[in-house]
Amino acid sequence: MKKQFNRQSETGGGRSSVMEGYNFAYLDEQTKRMIRRTILKAVAIPGYQVPFGSREMPLPYGWGTGGIQITASLIGSEDILKVIDQGADDTTNAVSIRRFFSRTAGALTTTRTREATIIQTRHRIPETHLTKDQIIVYQVPIPEPLRFIEPRAKEVCRMHALKEYGIMFVKLYEDISRHGRIAKAFDYPVLVNDRYVMSPSPIPKFDNPKMDRMPALQLFGAGREKRIYAVPPYTKVKSLDFEDYPFEVERWPHCCALCGSGNSYLDEIIMDDRGSKMFICSDTNHCNERVARGHKGNQEEPVEKAQISIGTGARKCA
Amino acid sequence: MCIKDSDHIPLLKVKSISRYYGRRIGCRGIEFELWPGEVLGIVGESGSGKTTLLNCISGQLEPSEGAVWYASNGGVIDMCVAPEPQKRLVMRTEMGTVYQNPRDGLRMHVSAGGNIGERLMANGLRHYGQVRRKALNWLEKVEIDSERIDDTPTTFSGGMQQRLQIARNLVTGPRLIFMDEPTSGLDVSVQARLLDLLKSLVTELDLSMVMVTHDLAVTRLLAHRLIVMKGGKAVESGLTDQVLDDPQHPYTQLLVSSILQP
Ligand SMILES: [Zn+2]
């Protein structure tokens, strides 16, 4: 039975006519089955990178070909797709991918996190809590968290197989001895289900806690590296840290200049050539919805000096 | 098997180890026992099979035949057939290997502190302050200035790199250390300092050691017993002084006479 869906999307979109001459969602059915089998394996072994026969896609690598293949193999005619890039729905990358699926699958698209059944993302997790009826698909450039320190692929496999992750802590140790704290701000490694160390893709570490026991299914696709991995719903995801240097997320000394949000990830916007700055939500949908509900920031007063501190200070926000 | 009485059984019992590379012999039919606190020197020229033998008994190379019984803290295990996780656990907690080339034994782009801390963290220590303290303590023990804790080994001299390798291995309190030509390539005075350090650490920590070297002077200083290898086989073995002062096999006689020449 077809779900009736009335769109009231912020941007245009909706169901457009499907392009002739392509299979539904571009990939042939056999390839989609192969990818779905890979996804099932990945779900069965949370955090483990499963190799798959990545296909050439009509977009260059680096544009999320891994994520696109996952989305293509999952999307059905009743799905509603949201695509974000750094939190925004309107960047070239996000627009291209959305257009790709509305043309090849006639997919309904939305910018509203709550409405989406599939959210494909590059570098952010939406601020809105995801639900058990949603799937989030991450675009992954480098899936192997151990590679930076152990270039031998065979040794890396063995380290995962035997759960030998001492080397990850060497990296954190080096950070602390050099910078006085764990400096890694993006792609901060996590331990999934107390078993596999996993790269969360280049999301800010701010988003790491959202992965922990998330009700939505989390899927990760690396096209160039030909790997798919997954975090099933409600799975434990722990950011690596030391007892005396616990994991902490970024905090800002101010609120979103547009919506006044005090607990979202903020982007720094340069306002003019005198260097005045403004901080606004990176998640544009979250920000717009708050503004629509009447929340306000103090956008008249751009912040003069950027101060991002770690783990300090509560903000008093609207 | 769960025997555990380190005074009454050898720490290591090597049973007829052979390793072939195709039809070529790496080493053949080697047998020996190593007792707690004992230092065994394996001497021979390059190509004599001594490094192949060391790699077989230290778990880095699978022998073609034979067994290596190791009396671990958890009981006696055959290193050749033990499951990989058990073997690797024993290797990183109870054993250590110091390589001839520091690049094989150190992470050259990780600080000295990180190099020493790796085994601690691999064994589950999750406290930065404790890792740091133990690293400082071990730098002192191997006579490296504690100010160098955050420097990478690339900035260290050859002798310091070898001492750092030693600290990196000993930090988890292993019982058995394998050494492959630890002093070769170093200046004579640097060699002497390293050997003195090794000698005092072996005594202080009651370490057992298997050391491969071509240098009989090194074995004279450190080893209790010797095995002389030639063409992959052991041609002579015995107490170090005995072998060096009264060599029986012509090959050993040749080695001894060549070292005595000025
Ligand atoms: Zn906002």
Side-chain angles (χ1 to χ4, degrees):
Chain A
M1 200 178 81
K2 283 223 156 171
K3 186 164 40 171
Q4 289 302 308
F5 190 76
N6 296 320
R7 313 185 43 79
Q8 290 179 321
S9 195
E10 289 162 341
T11 59
R15 196 184 292 278
S16 48
S17 58
V18 180
M19 272 165 70
E20 297 292 322
Y22 286 102
N23 195 35
F24 181 80
Y26 185 80
L27 293 175
D28 61 80
E29 292 306 311
Q30 201 185 342
T31 300
K32 285 194 264 185
R33 271 197 298 276
M34 176 271 290
I35 293 173
R36 284 196 292 265
R37 275 199 300 273
T38 308
I39 292 171
L40 286 174
K41 272 188 213 167
V43 169
I45 316 170
Y48 173 74
Q49 301 161 49
V50 185
F52 80 112
S54 181
R55 294 292 191 264
E56 290 296 325
M57 297 299 285
L59 288 165
Y61 286 123
W63 278 66
T65 53
I68 290 170
Q69 289 178 80
I70 289 180
T71 300
S73 70
L74 295 178
I75 199 164
S77 55
E78 293 174 19
D79 276 305
I80 303 153
L81 177 69
K82 171 181 166 81
V83 183
I84 50 170
D85 178 6
Q86 312 268 9
D89 299 85
D90 56 0
T91 63
T92 317
N93 184 298
V95 170
S96 307
I97 294 171
R98 216 160 43 228
R99 190 186 297 136
F100 175 81
F101 282 111
S102 74
R103 283 192 183 161
T104 60
L108 283 170
T109 60
T110 183
T111 58
R112 295 186 170 176
T113 303
R114 258 174 274 274
E115 285 175 5
T117 58
I118 299 175
I119 298 157
Q120 183 171 328
T121 177
R122 176 172 177 272
H123 302 184
R124 275 309 311 278
I125 299 176
E127 306 293 358
T128 307
H129 290 296
L130 302 185
T131 69
K132 65 181 175 56
D133 299 320
Q134 295 177 306
I135 297 174
I136 180 164
V137 178
Y138 299 79
Q139 300 172 200
V140 180
I142 298 167
E144 181 48 72
L146 303 175
R147 181 185 298 167
F148 66 92
I149 203 143
E150 179 54 76
R152 294 170 295 175
K154 204 178 157 193
E155 182 63 14
V156 164
C157 278
R158 190 177 289 175
M159 289 158 91
H160 279 301
L162 299 175
K163 205 184 168 188
E164 286 182 1
Y165 293 130
I167 196 66
M168 293 306 295
F169 291 89
V170 171
K171 178 77 172 80
L172 301 183
Y173 168 93
E174 294 287 280
D175 259 18
I176 298 170
S177 62
R178 261 181 227 154
H179 311 289
R181 62 188 173 86
I182 299 169
K184 199 156 177 58
F186 297 92
D187 210 355
Y188 191 107
V190 294
L191 183 67
V192 177
N193 202 27
D194 292 322
R195 180 57 187 85
Y196 285 98
V197 164
M198 186 188 91
S199 158
S201 86
I203 58 173
K205 66 178 178 177
F206 179 90
D207 285 341
N208 275 24
K210 295 175 187 165
M211 307 178 80
D212 185 31
R213 297 181 174 87
M214 183 192 277
L217 171 62
Q218 305 177 68
L219 299 173
F220 300 79
R224 190 182 51 224
E225 303 280 337
K226 304 180 170 57
R227 292 285 185 280
I228 286 173
Y229 50 100
V231 176
Y234 304 106
T235 302
K236 182 176 172 191
V237 176
K238 187 185 186 306
S239 302
L240 303 184
D241 62 2
F242 286 110
E243 291 156 16
D244 49 343
Y245 284 84
F247 174 80
E248 285 176 333
V249 298
E250 309 90 323
R251 298 195 187 286
W252 290 262
H254 29 249
C255 307
C256 171
L258 302 179
C259 77
S261 171
N263 55 8
S264 63
Y265 187 83
L266 301 181
D267 280 339
E268 183 185 319
I269 310 289
I270 309 287
M271 299 299 291
D272 52 38
D273 52 13
R274 294 194 312 277
S276 33
K277 287 163 180 152
M278 191 164 97
F279 286 86
I280 61 167
C281 294
S282 130
D283 183 336
T284 49
N285 169 247
H286 176 74
C287 199
N288 292 345
E289 284 188 350
R290 282 178 54 85
V291 169
R293 285 201 302 273
H295 293 282
K296 269 194 208 122
N298 55 341
Q299 60 189 45
E300 303 309 315
E301 301 164 43
V303 182
E304 285 298 337
K305 214 174 169 189
Q307 293 179 313
I308 294 184
S309 59
I310 299 295
T312 54
R315 286 174 279 165
K316 291 199 183 76
C317 295
Chain B
M1 214 180 297
C2 202
I3 310 161
K4 200 199 161 192
D5 187 351
S6 51
D7 289 338
H8 295 99
I9 55 164
L11 188 62
L12 200 63
K13 192 177 169 83
V14 173
K15 291 282 287 175
S16 166
I17 283 288
S18 302
R19 167 73 199 204
Y20 306 105
Y21 298 101
R23 300 182 64 181
R24 209 167 61 79
I25 296 170
C27 65
R28 187 164 169 182
I30 309 289
E31 301 213 340
F32 67 84
E33 288 178 354
L34 183 75
W35 292 79
E38 193 176 30
V39 177
L40 176 73
I42 299 174
V43 293
E45 295 167 308
S46 75
S48 64
K50 59 190 194 306
T51 296
T52 297
L53 174 63
L54 188 78
N55 288 341
C56 284
I57 60 181
S58 62
Q60 299 176 81
L61 185 66
E62 207 172 311
S64 310
E65 293 161 6
V68 177
W69 295 98
Y70 170 68
S72 77
N73 289 331
V76 177
I77 57 171
D78 183 349
M79 293 296 285
C80 304
V81 296
E84 187 81 359
Q86 184 184 23
K87 189 172 109 177
R88 304 244 311 190
L89 179 67
V90 162
M91 284 170 68
R92 69 170 188 262
T93 51
E94 300 181 31
M95 297 180 179
T97 302
V98 175
Y99 297 85
Q100 176 175 7
N101 186 345
R103 281 171 198 285
D104 296 330
L106 294 174
R107 295 193 188 271
M108 297 306 279
H109 298 288
V110 167
S111 71
N115 266 288
I116 298 176
E118 180 173 352
R119 277 173 70 130
L120 294 169
M121 293 183 272
N123 294 337
L125 185 59
R126 295 287 176 267
H127 192 283
Y128 174 83
Q130 287 175 22
V131 173
R132 189 89 179 160
R133 273 195 295 282
K134 291 195 182 196
L136 282 167
N137 186 11
W138 269 99
L139 283 175
E140 190 186 323
K141 281 192 185 171
V142 299
E143 299 162 12
I144 295 174
D145 188 350
S146 59
E147 302 248 305
R148 307 297 303 270
I149 188 168
D150 295 326
D151 296 342
T152 61
T154 49
T155 66
F156 286 11
S157 69
M160 283 167 73
Q161 289 176 350
Q162 291 309 61
R163 295 200 301 272
L164 184 60
Q165 269 206 81
I166 291 166
R168 172 177 157 89
N169 277 284
L170 295 187
V171 67
T172 50
R175 306 157 68 207
L176 175 57
I177 297 291
F178 300 101
M179 294 217 175
D180 188 4
E181 303 273 11
T183 59
S184 81
L186 300 177
D187 292 342
V188 177
S189 62
V190 178
Q191 274 194 27
R193 185 176 173 195
L194 187 66
L195 290 170
D196 281 346
L197 175 70
L198 275 174
K199 201 173 167 64
S200 63
L201 285 174
V202 162
T203 314
E204 185 192 326
L205 303 170
D206 197 25
L207 286 174
S208 306
M209 192 155 85
V210 178
M211 185 175 55
V212 154
T213 180
H214 68 282
D215 188 343
L216 291 183
V218 170
T219 62
R220 172 83 86 178
L221 193 66
L222 277 179
H224 302 112
R225 280 193 304 131
L226 288 187
I227 294 176
V228 181
M229 286 186 72
K230 182 178 191 301
K233 290 184 223 164
V235 295
E236 185 161 356
S237 64
L239 294 173
T240 303
D241 290 345
Q242 220 168 53
V243 172
L244 294 185
D245 295 342
D246 186 18
Q248 300 297 305
H249 192 276
Y251 177 71
T252 317
Q253 289 167 359
L254 189 72
L255 283 181
V256 171
S257 66
S258 66
I259 178 193
L260 291 177
Q261 279 164 12

